[in-house]
Amino acid sequence: MTQPDTSTAPVPSPTSTWQDALKRLAADQVTVRAGGGAKAQQRQHEKNRLTARERIRQLIDNGSPFDELMTFAGWEMYQDIGGCPSGGTVTGIGQIGGRPWMVIANDATVKAGAFFPITAKKVIRAQTIALENRLPVVYLVDSAGVYLPMQDEIFPDQDDFGRVFYLNARMSARGIPQIAAIMGNCVAGGAYLPVMCDTLIMTEGSGLYLAGPALVKAAIGQVVDSEDLGGAGMHASIAGTVDYREPDDEAALIRIRALADLYAQGNLAPFARRRKETVAAPERDLTDLVGFDGSKTYDVRELITALVDGGEFHEFKPEYGETLVCGFARAGGYPVAFVANQRTVIRKKLKAGGEPGLRTRIEVGGVIYGDSADKAARFILDANQAGVPLVFLSDVTGFMVGRDSEQEGIIRRGAKLVNAVSNSVVPKITIITGGSFGAGNYAMNGKAYAPRFLFAWPSAKYAVMSGNAAAKTLMDIQLAALKRAGHQPDDEELTRLYDEVKAKYDTELDPRYAAARLWVDEIIEPNDTRERLIRALEACAQNPEQEEFRVGVFQV
């Protein structure tokens, strides 16, 4: 598995501080949330329409938070065509009538709300979150359809545009409420989404049709205006497609709130039925505890106690497998089970090797050893037996390598942990607080292991190996290729090549790079972690169903 990088960490640069990182995050969020910019927002207002985020603010309960998800979708992608801020759509969970709803809103200020490849993937991820957690959904539709120049990347594959309607139908079949409001354009294949919902609302001046007036004329020679072809009046009185016809955005949003408030509340998840009154956590500035650049050691127990009710944490096997910390607690009154990478340096007691007494060795924090893999796998079984959600605090370098580790069965024991994570049936939430490298990412419930939610701090680094290790490896590969071609680079060229490789890899390590591609659901500030965790648990609590826990062939 992945070799941990145990080299001395570089001295932090003046910009490698939490203060600068959080300032940059806030500035980047402002940029992304501006969508297509001030002029595009003005054009939307001139049509007597609100922007996507204005609509959401009016939709959710007054004063309640909106937990936006995938804000950085598309970050620095599609630059040659002007970019696609936030993937051209806004998604997140907000309270409507005191109940959490997933909201999916097209941002018409970005290429008229057209679907880019990342847009489809973002909507699919939001629908998947809603499906897994049985969250009701509101769609605020204002989209010109597929961005045609990229149709080959949007239209045909399993997780492309068609999957949106597939999930639309699957959620309906499972009784998950879906309300759609057409508040602008809704054309071509995109027209199926709102019509497949429980309830369809449409505002005056909007258009709903498989083909717009220009395409109809080109296809069949028929000349027809937008209102006769697919206006709100036609769909309300002639086609019968629309359930509620409203004069404007404000009226449509009021109607959604009224209808949403009528839906029956389903049963809660078994773990949520054991919820107790929330107890405040000990006050702690998490940016003081956890260093930004990973060079600072810290005891992850202190992080856990800062996240849980009353700081009360029941640690599982605290003296065994110490590079992973496991245990039970409550957050927001909900029972939770933590699996967390320990980041202190540990002196490990070993079995006697022929000499009397015990020997010791130093274990590096953030590295998963055989005994810690065994412990975490067993703990995950306990959490599933108890029906308690799992929370992974991921700051992992990788699995330990070397002769001793191989002889101790690291591959077999690591496979056992990956099996337990893969087959776990309780809700899983992952928070990446630092490194998330290689197979350690898998063991700590990375994106491939179906977390209900996956959050990252601005300090998160997400890659197959750490930056220094990767740069050295890639440099060796490039150098070997140059030598095979008969070129022997001098010291100056070697330095330049290394700097180029390192700069590229460092860019890919940035959490925005991961968030742009939806490898994480949202970048959050460390001191917001407890509240985001509690609201994520509240979302998970809406699904009362839990599969039977089975692990198949389990290594021993």
Side-chain angles (χ1 to χ4, degrees):
M1 295 191 180
T2 307
Q3 181 174 358
D5 177 17
T6 57
S7 61
T8 302
V11 176
S13 69
T15 57
S16 297
T17 65
W18 275 116
Q19 184 180 15
D20 292 322
L22 294 175
K23 282 182 180 178
R24 184 191 167 193
L25 176 64
D28 290 344
Q29 287 172 335
V30 169
T31 299
V32 167
R33 289 169 180 163
K39 289 184 178 179
Q41 292 174 16
Q42 183 180 346
R43 287 194 296 271
Q44 186 78 348
H45 292 155
E46 288 170 353
K47 297 175 185 177
N48 195 32
R49 295 175 186 165
L50 302 171
T51 65
R53 287 185 171 83
E54 289 170 343
R55 288 166 174 166
I56 291 170
R57 281 197 295 272
Q58 290 196 21
L59 175 64
I60 64 174
D61 293 350
N62 187 36
S64 66
F66 178 64
D67 287 329
E68 189 165 346
L69 296 168
M70 298 167 282
T71 305
F72 284 94
W75 174 259
E76 294 187 341
M77 296 169 67
Y78 317 117
Q79 297 285 59
D80 56 328
I81 51 175
C84 184
S86 213
T89 188
V90 183
T91 59
I93 299 172
Q95 295 281 331
I96 304 176
R99 177 183 181 183
W101 285 68
M102 174 64 75
V103 182
I104 301 173
N106 299 117
D107 186 351
T109 70
V110 180
K111 298 288 192 299
F115 270 68
F116 282 68
I118 198 66
T119 315
K121 288 177 172 55
K122 179 172 176 176
V123 172
I124 289 166
R125 174 59 181 159
Q127 290 178 305
T128 300
I129 291 171
L131 178 62
E132 290 177 340
N133 296 293
R134 300 298 189 267
L135 290 174
V137 185
V138 170
Y139 302 92
L140 304 180
V141 182
D142 192 352
S143 171
V146 166
Y147 183 69
L148 287 176
M150 303 182 76
Q151 64 85 26
D152 62 321
E153 299 178 53
I154 305 168
F155 169 72
D157 207 352
Q158 174 177 309
D159 288 324
D160 286 346
F161 196 48
R163 192 74 173 184
V164 172
F165 317 121
Y166 171 86
L167 291 170
N168 209 192
R170 300 286 287 185
M171 283 192 285
S172 182
R174 282 165 174 73
I176 300 172
Q178 297 177 89
I179 300 174
I182 299 171
M183 311 172 88
N185 289 317
C186 184
V187 300
Y192 290 114
L193 182 145
V195 178
M196 294 171 71
C197 291
D198 306 342
T199 302
L200 176 54
I201 299 162
M202 191 171 179
T203 61
E204 295 287 356
S206 298
L208 170 64
Y209 24 65
L210 289 179
L215 184 55
V216 168
K217 182 178 180 181
I220 63 175
Q222 186 180 74
V223 178
V224 59
D225 66 28
S226 178
E227 182 59 35
D228 284 345
L229 183 65
M234 188 283 290
H235 279 297
S237 62
I238 298 174
T241 309
V242 171
D243 302 315
Y244 299 92
R245 175 183 173 188
E246 302 295 345
D248 52 30
D249 284 9
E250 286 83 355
L253 295 168
I254 290 170
R255 179 75 72 176
I256 295 172
R257 286 186 53 80
L259 294 172
D261 198 42
L262 298 172
Y263 276 92
Q265 173 68 57
N267 293 326
L268 294 177
F271 78 87
R273 299 170 207 166
R274 301 294 295 172
R275 186 180 191 182
K276 293 186 175 181
E277 184 177 348
T278 301
V279 178
E283 289 190 15
R284 181 71 186 266
D285 185 347
L286 299 185
T287 62
D288 284 341
L289 173 64
V290 182
F292 177 73
D293 64 356
S295 63
K296 177 182 176 182
T297 62
Y298 65 93
D299 190 334
V300 77
R301 297 179 187 90
E302 295 183 47
L303 172 56
I304 293 171
T305 55
L307 298 178
V308 302
D309 292 1
E312 185 178 348
F313 178 55
H314 303 281
E315 187 172 355
F316 175 81
K317 294 185 186 293
E319 299 174 83
Y320 182 76
E322 294 176 78
T323 63
L324 281 175
V325 172
C326 305
F328 292 101
R330 288 186 181 271
Y334 293 111
V336 287
F338 282 92
V339 178
N341 297 111
Q342 180 59 284
R343 296 297 301 191
T344 60
V345 176
I346 296 162
R347 185 174 294 278
K348 170 68 179 175
K349 294 180 180 179
L350 301 176
K351 293 178 181 178
E355 67 275 14
L358 293 174
R359 296 180 293 120
T360 63
R361 73 176 178 206
I362 297 298
E363 293 189 342
V364 181
V367 178
I368 301 175
Y369 292 78
D371 55 356
S372 52
D374 280 345
K375 179 174 82 170
R378 162 64 193 283
F379 179 72
I380 288 169
L381 301 188
D382 282 6
N384 278 269
Q385 184 80 345
V388 174
L390 282 157
V391 177
F392 292 81
L393 300 179
S394 179
D395 190 357
V396 60
T397 309
F399 282 83
M400 191 59 196
V401 297
R403 182 190 60 196
D404 290 348
S405 190
E406 296 291 358
Q407 291 182 0
E408 290 171 3
I410 188 64
I411 299 175
R412 168 178 56 80
R413 298 162 97 175
K416 178 165 49 177
L417 174 54
V418 171
N419 185 330
V421 172
S422 302
N423 286 303
S424 179
V425 296
V426 295
K428 296 178 295 184
I429 298 170
T430 300
I431 303 165
I432 302 175
T433 62
S436 183
F437 297 122
N441 169 273
Y442 305 157
M444 294 301 292
N445 195 47
K447 184 64 182 291
Y449 294 81
R452 298 278 186 96
F453 295 94
L454 198 163
F455 301 116
W457 287 4
S459 53
K461 295 176 179 60
Y462 206 106
V464 71
M465 64 179 73
S466 64
N468 289 333
K472 291 172 185 174
T473 303
L474 291 169
M475 184 64 185
D476 288 345
I477 293 170
Q478 285 199 13
L479 184 58
L482 288 172
K483 288 180 177 178
R484 284 196 301 270
H487 177 64
Q488 181 66 48
D490 58 25
D491 290 345
E492 183 177 344
E493 187 177 0
L494 285 172
T495 300
R496 179 180 57 79
L497 284 171
Y498 178 82
D499 289 344
E500 289 176 356
V501 169
K502 182 72 163 56
K504 179 179 182 298
Y505 205 82
D506 285 346
T507 297
E508 295 172 1
L509 282 172
D510 190 285
R512 292 162 188 77
Y513 189 92
R517 290 151 182 81
L518 310 188
W519 303 342
V520 301
D521 292 321
E522 189 70 353
I523 302 173
I524 63 172
E525 294 189 15
N527 290 324
D528 291 340
T529 303
R530 172 172 158 84
E531 294 306 317
R532 287 299 293 254
L533 172 60
I534 291 170
R535 291 197 293 272
L537 289 166
E538 184 177 8
C540 295
Q542 307 306 305
N543 183 359
E545 298 178 13
Q546 183 171 302
E547 298 175 23
E548 181 184 357
F549 181 51
R550 300 163 65 181
V551 295
V553 177
F554 201 65
Q555 290 286 348
V556 296

